[in-house]
Amino acid sequence: NREVKPTCADGTAMQCGRVGSRRLFEIGITFEWFLFFCINKSWIIIRIIKNSCIFAVMNPLRGFLVWLGRIHRCRGFGIQSPTDYSFVRYVINEHWPYYAYEQLKVDDWLTSKLGRLYFRLSNWRQPSAMVPDDYQRYWQAGCHHTVFTPIINKVELARVTIEDRTTWDALIQKCNQQSVIVVEGIWRDWERWHEMVVDSRTVITYDLYYCGIVFFDRTRYKRNYKINF
């Protein structure tokens, strides 16, 4: 008894799914090229309009273009260190809907975005003491036992703006291997941020565009990560 292969409408033998598989492969390749095209075009668009008066200040449209330009750096993609990957994946880019988010919600999108990050940082670091600032309620929500005082003996977790050199210099003198400093607004002064990255006292740095996160653990190799946040 011979096995008879089913035929197509034109009388040719069916290829047992090979044609369909090849078609899916071709679609996959086409989609990959489409993504590659979109990512590269996004860089061109951003470079053309980044000096426009519309983008002189931070706003949701500019934020979307920043996200689009860094789409290939999402959720720790390409990070080899398990420790650094875990920090990016489960602290910086954690999307778990914490109940505290509703209580901390504000109208300004950037304040809310940074505030949620600070909440997660505080929840992860669990600092015993911090210097009070404009985001104190976010830090406190992340770690209820944190005491806020203008004078600290050592830095566990702190925040400084990119323009505030005096505070940065004062904080960095009190840093140890467990210290973490958030530098807010690095997009306003990339030259200053680069100085911080190459500073011999800093070790691991994360560029989130809206802010930078600096670690001082000298047991690690010096490294800077650009993250899509």
Side-chain angles (χ1 to χ4, degrees), residues 25-130:
F25 175 77
E26 292 172 353
I27 293 174
I29 294 296
T30 302
F31 182 68
E32 288 181 0
W33 275 106
F34 172 75
L35 286 179
F36 177 79
F37 175 81
C38 289
I39 292 172
N40 280 276
K41 287 299 181 182
S42 70
W43 278 108
I44 296 174
I45 294 172
I46 292 171
R47 288 177 178 177
I48 290 175
I49 64 179
K50 70 177 181 179
N51 294 323
S52 170
C53 60
I54 298 175
F55 297 95
V57 296
M58 186 57 65
N59 54 58
L61 180 56
R62 180 172 181 171
F64 171 73
L65 291 175
V66 170
W67 178 87
L68 192 63
R70 298 189 177 202
I71 196 171
H72 58 301
R73 300 179 184 273
C74 288
R75 302 171 75 81
F77 180 78
I79 296 178
Q80 302 300 318
S81 167
T83 301
D84 298 342
Y85 173 83
S86 178
F87 178 72
V88 172
R89 180 67 177 80
Y90 300 111
V91 179
I92 294 178
N93 285 331
E94 173 63 75
H95 296 305
W96 182 262
Y98 292 95
Y99 292 119
Y101 285 171
E102 285 300 319
Q103 301 172 357
L104 299 170
K105 189 175 181 180
V106 294
D107 293 333
D108 182 69
W109 71 277
L110 185 54
T111 300
S112 181
K113 185 180 185 70
L114 289 173
R116 291 184 177 189
L117 171 65
Y118 299 161
F119 164 83
R120 296 192 298 274
L121 281 170
S122 181
N123 187 54
W124 163 78
R125 184 63 182 84
Q126 293 290 300
S128 60
M130 289 185 67

Side-chain angles (χ1 to χ4, degrees), residues 121-132 139-140 142-149 151-158 176 178:
L121 281 170
S122 181
N123 187 54
W124 163 78
R125 184 63 182 84
Q126 293 290 300
S128 60
M130 289 185 67
V131 176
W139 302 119
Q140 189 77 78
C143 182
H144 297 295
H145 71 253
T146 301
V147 176
F148 290 87
T149 173
I151 300 176
I152 55 175
N153 296 321
K154 65 176 181 178
V155 173
E156 297 176 69
L157 180 59
N176 55 32
Q178 286 75 45

